[in-house]
Amino acid sequence: MSSWTDLVDGILRETGKVFGESIRFIPSSGASFDVVAVYDTRYTVESFDGMSTNVQTMTHRLGVRLKEFAISPEEGDRIILREEGFRVIEVQPDGQGGAVLIVQRERFQ
C-alpha cells in the first residue's frame, strides 16, 4: 500500500504530463536544468477605501513537483518559459511534495 506522499506525488506527476510544459530552471548558483511546470496566471482586482478606481494585477504562477529539482527553488532564481524570462519572487511549498512558484516577468540582460 502506498503512502499519502506517494499518492500525491503520482497525482503531481500525472498533472504535469497532461497540463505541464518544459521550463528551463536557472538557480542562483549551480547549473541550469529542465523541469515540468503547470503555468497559470491569476488576475486580481483590488479596491481601496476612498478611491474611485480599482487596481488590477496579474500574477504568474508555476505549479511544480519538487522531486524534479536537483536544487530546491529559491527566491531570485530564474526561469525561461515560452522563450520569456521570469524571476522567482516567492516559493510556496504545499507540504506534499509540490510547490507554487510565484514569478515575475523580466528581461534577461
Side-chain angles (χ1 to χ4, degrees):
M1 187 166 178
S2 295
S3 71
W4 175 254
T5 304
D6 292 337
L7 291 172
V8 171
D9 183 60
I11 292 168
L12 292 173
R13 185 176 42 256
E14 293 304 314
T15 301
K17 287 179 184 177
V18 175
F19 300 106
E21 54 192 292
S22 182
I23 65 168
R24 171 63 59 159
F25 180 75
I26 307 166
S28 298
S29 61
S32 64
F33 52 92
D34 293 337
V35 296
V36 173
V38 177
Y39 177 68
D40 183 33
T41 54
R42 177 178 288 175
Y43 293 90
T44 306
V45 177
E46 299 286 339
S47 57
F48 299 95
D49 292 335
M51 294 181 65
S52 60
T53 59
N54 295 326
V55 176
Q56 297 180 12
T57 61
M58 182 174 64
T59 304
H60 303 279
R61 303 158 30 102
L62 295 169
V64 297
R65 184 172 162 247
L66 293 174
K67 279 188 175 182
E68 292 189 35
F69 285 78
I71 298 171
S72 295
E74 297 179 347
E75 190 175 309
D77 291 338
R78 292 174 150 175
I79 288 169
I80 297 176
L81 166 69
R82 300 177 185 169
E83 299 182 16
E84 292 189 63
F86 294 85
R87 181 175 300 278
V88 177
I89 59 172
E90 186 177 349
V91 178
Q92 300 175 343
D94 66 9
Q96 304 295 322
V100 172
L101 306 181
I102 308 298
V103 297
Q104 185 175 46
R105 188 174 278 138
E106 71 171 10
R107 292 186 187 267
F108 288 124
Q109 303 290 334

